[in-house]
Amino acid sequence: MTEQDLSFTPEWVSPPGDTIIDAIEERDWTQSQLAERLGYTEKHVSLLINAKVPITEESAQKLSRVIGSTPEFWLRREAQYRAQLVQVEERERLQSWISWLDRLPVKDLMKQGAIAKRRLDSKNKPEIVKELLQLFGVASPDNWETCYEQKQVAFRRTRKEQSNVGAISAWLRLGEIEAEKADVPKYNKAKFEKAVQEIRKLTVLSQAKFMPQMQRLCNEAGVILAIVPVIPCAYTSGVARWLNSHRALIQLSLYGKQNDRFWFTFFHEAAHILLHDKKDIFLDDSGQGDRLESQQEDEANAWVREFLIPSEHDAELYTLRSREDVIGFAERLGIHAGILVGRLQFDQVIEHNSKLNTLKVGLNLESKEK
């Protein structure tokens, strides 16, 4: 029998024993006769044929002499079978995990291009599970729970709606992936404090101009700034967290954002980095909804209010009503006028539908420097 005769392109899980059976049937041998020729016991030959023991270099040499082909063929045949077996077992595992998909924002991740777009049908679900495991960088849904769901104890929420751990973990993971691309030095608090002061001056610039400078200043201080599209059910537009003891991450989304909310959220997250425990993950959202009280959130809010518009200016701030007055006051403070409008609305000094809203600037993920 030549190697060409025994060429094999598997389309199903077929053990090498099938090839051995074909060969001895051609010769009209029994397994007992094959055992005698190989110098093995009948039991060992039975185990070999039924893939209970693998073909080794020794048995490959013997099969080559007795049945034909080369030792390399028999070793390759064994390797093909084991690889097929692994694939079948993997498909079965993935199939058993498809209920995990119900806990994750699969369609949102497809829309963002984080995973390939597919129909959510029974045929595709195992492959979607595999892609999501690769996205999260975990071996199984159980490992995902260990890495993400059990981290809930570290979440510091600002809204009751922030309860969808699947959506939150997906958004956090997208930020982690961005952070993994960044090459930044170890965190330096003094440098970050200085960077935050410099970033305050950038609020008057367009997004295309301030964003690259803002990211550079953060990175130089050991803080990664990641802008990641929103996952709606996460109800989280900003997060401050420590990836390890010397690298911090501020993650923001620009969904529906105007510059007043964007700047407040950024400086709020910066306050968490500067003021609070490295073990906590601060989930923030400036949208509407039931707010959760927290000393840490109160501290961050107070820090931002004082940082952007020092309280010594409150008396004049609350008299502002005209567009010209707001612009002039903002210029003296060195911040964008939209930030003042947002503050006046938050403090209920002016209506949310005020004509001063035109001083705010919308932000988006597509903005580029021209």
Side-chain angles (χ1 to χ4, degrees):
M1 182 179 293
T2 65
E3 182 163 359
Q4 184 176 3
D5 294 330
L6 290 173
S7 62
F8 184 76
T9 305
E11 295 181 354
W12 63 92
V13 179
S14 171
D18 289 351
T19 308
I20 295 173
I21 289 292
D22 289 343
I24 64 175
E25 285 180 349
E26 286 180 10
R27 292 162 172 75
D28 199 23
W29 291 349
T30 64
Q31 288 188 29
S32 176
Q33 290 173 317
L34 176 63
E36 289 178 355
R37 293 172 182 274
L38 289 171
Y40 289 143
T41 64
E42 288 186 44
K43 180 180 179 180
H44 187 78
V45 167
S46 176
L47 293 173
L48 198 63
I49 288 174
N50 289 288
K52 301 300 183 181
V53 295
I55 294 176
T56 63
E57 290 185 5
E58 178 195 35
S59 53
Q61 292 283 358
K62 290 187 175 184
L63 287 167
S64 174
R65 297 188 200 110
V66 174
I67 295 178
S69 192
T70 64
E72 291 75 22
F73 165 78
W74 290 107
L75 291 171
R76 187 166 60 250
R77 181 70 174 83
E78 174 70 24
Q80 286 176 336
Y81 168 67
R82 298 298 168 185
Q84 282 181 288
L85 204 58
V86 168
Q87 291 174 3
V88 169
E89 291 171 350
E90 175 70 352
R91 285 197 296 270
E92 291 174 351
R93 275 193 296 268
L94 294 174
Q95 183 66 37
S96 71
W97 291 336
I98 60 174
S99 62
W100 180 50
L101 299 179
D102 296 334
R103 302 166 67 182
L104 297 170
V106 178
K107 291 184 178 180
D108 291 315
L109 290 170
M110 287 182 181
K111 287 179 183 177
Q112 292 195 19
I115 59 174
K117 290 185 178 180
R118 291 186 177 88
R119 291 175 61 89
L120 267 170
D121 55 27
S122 57
K123 178 182 178 182
N124 290 325
K125 283 183 177 180
E127 190 61 29
I128 295 171
V129 169
K130 182 179 179 179
E131 274 201 76
L132 286 168
L133 291 173
Q134 292 171 336
L135 177 73
F136 282 102
V138 294
S140 72
D142 286 344
N143 299 130
W144 171 80
E145 287 190 4
T146 300
C147 291
Y148 291 94
E149 190 168 65
Q150 292 180 17
K151 280 185 179 178
Q152 288 189 76
V153 295
F155 290 171
R156 296 293 176 261
R157 297 175 170 88
T158 56
R159 291 180 60 180
K160 291 180 179 179
E161 292 89 342
Q162 292 168 329
S163 59
N164 188 325
V165 178
I168 292 171
S169 68
W171 193 67
L172 291 178
R173 178 56 185 157
L174 294 178
E176 290 171 357
I177 291 171
E178 289 300 308
E180 288 165 4
K181 302 174 187 176
D183 182 16
V184 300
K186 290 184 177 180
Y187 172 71
N188 184 302
K189 184 175 182 180
K191 283 187 177 180
F192 188 52
E193 289 174 333
K194 184 177 179 181
V196 170
Q197 292 288 345
E198 291 299 313
I199 291 170
R200 184 181 185 276
K201 300 174 185 177
L202 301 180
T203 63
V204 299
L205 302 180
S206 68
Q207 179 186 345
K209 291 181 178 179
F210 75 65
M211 190 63 76
Q213 296 185 60
M214 183 181 180
Q215 290 181 312
R216 176 182 58 79
L217 287 165
C218 286
N219 288 354
E220 289 174 352
V223 177
I224 300 162
L225 175 62
I227 308 299
V228 179
V230 70
I231 298 289
C233 291
Y235 295 104
T236 303
S237 56
V239 66
R241 60 188 296 207
W242 289 85
L243 301 174
N244 51 46
S245 62
H246 57 268
R247 289 214 315 171
L249 169 66
I250 292 177
Q251 181 176 336
L252 306 173
S253 80
L254 300 183
Y255 179 75
K257 279 282 181 71
Q258 290 183 303
N259 65 338
D260 63 317
R261 287 189 176 184
F262 172 81
W263 287 117
F264 183 88
T265 302
F266 168 75
F267 289 116
H268 182 95
E269 306 309 335
H272 282 312
I273 298 297
L274 291 169
L275 301 176
H276 297 135
D277 198 308
K278 292 184 178 183
K279 295 180 181 179
D280 293 326
I281 299 174
F282 296 95
L283 306 175
D284 296 299
D285 185 59
S286 56
Q288 300 298 315
D290 294 330
R291 313 300 296 181
L292 297 177
E293 298 298 326
S294 160
Q295 179 181 341
Q296 293 158 316
E297 290 304 314
D298 290 344
E299 289 171 351
N301 286 336
W303 187 94
V304 178
R305 286 173 67 92
E306 189 66 24
F307 179 75
L308 288 174
I309 309 171
S311 55
E312 64 191 70
H313 298 289
D314 282 357
E316 183 177 0
L317 170 68
Y318 295 136
T319 65
L320 301 176
R321 293 296 183 274
S322 72
R323 181 183 180 89
E324 293 72 20
D325 287 345
V326 171
I327 292 174
F329 189 55
E331 288 177 351
R332 294 203 307 276
L333 290 179
I335 60 175
H336 195 281
I339 296 174
L340 289 179
V341 176
R343 169 69 177 275
L344 290 170
Q345 289 172 331
F346 183 83
D347 289 349
Q348 299 181 341
V349 176
I350 62 174
E351 299 294 330
H352 283 280
N353 61 356
S354 168
K355 293 181 180 180
L356 293 176
N357 275 336
T358 57
L359 291 174
K360 297 181 182 181
V361 177
L363 305 178
N364 61 76
L365 289 167
E366 287 72 39
S367 180
K368 302 289 183 182
E369 181 71 86
K370 295 182 179 179

